[in-house]
Amino acid sequence: MNNKRKLSPKQSEEILVDLKIRFDKNKNRHPDMEWKKIQSKLETNPDKLWSLYEMEKTGGEPDVVGYDKKKDEYIFFDCSPETPKERRSICYDRKALDSRKENKPKSSALEMATAMGIQLLTEAEYKELQKLGTFDSKTSSWILTPFNIRDLGGALFADFRYGAVFIYHNGAESYYAVRGFRGSLRV
């Protein structure tokens, strides 16, 4: 792990406090889970804690939303009410960014997620997130796009409108002030 991906003791403490407060405040997202076990797992995985810090820093409000018993992994999603503010106005991936001749966005969803050590939500994960509350009622989020769609120039995004989850397509090079991405992380 390089120094860029290492938190100071103060930053580690800050993110653990923020995560515990959110964990306690949103019990419906993780019934029957114990914070002590999650904290222990985080403390032994500083690279994952760094990724959660990045999710928090960019407005994602990460929280535990599941546990994979087979892999012994806790699953975190961005749970901010709207797509994270610091991850908006971006296209889907590097290929899309490079294809724009002018008015290029600052980055792409896949590049930012990779740099943060997280994954874009899949369509199934996005739908699972929506079962935990109302997310993206004013914004939208890029979601992981199948290769066959991306190969044709498209990318998928999702939002919540009219009491329902909608999955849409757009050119991967498009970007809007209200579209960003949500991430997932397994610890």
Side-chain angles (χ1 to χ4, degrees), residues 92-93 95 110 143-156:
Y92 182 73
D93 60 11
K95 183 178 175 183
L110 285 182
I143 59 174
L144 198 59
T145 300
F147 293 116
N148 62 325
I149 294 171
R150 183 61 195 100
D151 285 346
L152 295 172
L156 300 178

Side-chain angles (χ1 to χ4, degrees), residues 87-105:
R87 297 188 232 153
R88 296 182 192 171
S89 296
I90 54 174
C91 60
Y92 182 73
D93 60 11
R94 169 52 67 178
K95 183 178 175 183
L97 185 62
D98 289 345
S99 74
R100 291 193 67 96
K101 302 296 181 218
E102 52 188 45
N103 301 319
K104 289 185 181 237

Side-chain angles (χ1 to χ4, degrees), residues 41-90:
K41 197 102 150 134
L42 290 170
E43 289 173 341
T44 59
N45 288 282
D47 56 326
K48 303 289 186 165
L49 193 59
W50 178 87
S51 292
L52 287 165
Y53 184 84
E54 291 296 302
M55 291 169 81
E56 183 73 22
K57 187 171 84 172
T58 56
E61 300 179 23
D63 197 7
V64 181
V65 297
Y67 178 69
D68 184 332
K69 288 180 184 176
K70 287 182 182 176
K71 295 182 179 179
D72 185 31
E73 293 176 329
Y74 291 97
I75 303 163
F76 288 80
F77 287 172
D78 284 309
C79 291
S80 54
E82 302 299 335
T83 197
K85 285 186 179 188
E86 298 300 318
R87 297 188 232 153
R88 296 182 192 171
S89 296
I90 54 174

Side-chain angles (χ1 to χ4, degrees), residues 65 77-84 119-144 156-161 164-168 178-184:
V65 297
F77 287 172
D78 284 309
C79 291
S80 54
E82 302 299 335
T83 197
Q119 301 291 317
L120 262 64
L121 293 183
T122 65
E123 181 177 343
E125 289 171 332
Y126 190 88
K127 288 176 178 177
E128 283 301 310
L129 174 68
Q130 293 291 356
K131 292 177 184 176
L132 302 174
T134 299
F135 302 93
D136 289 339
S137 65
K138 298 175 189 163
T139 58
S140 62
S141 296
W142 289 113
I143 59 174
L144 198 59
L156 300 178
F157 68 96
D159 62 26
F160 186 84
R161 304 289 195 276
V165 176
F166 288 89
I167 307 296
Y168 308 90
V178 296
R179 184 173 309 146
F181 75 93
R182 293 177 177 277
S184 70

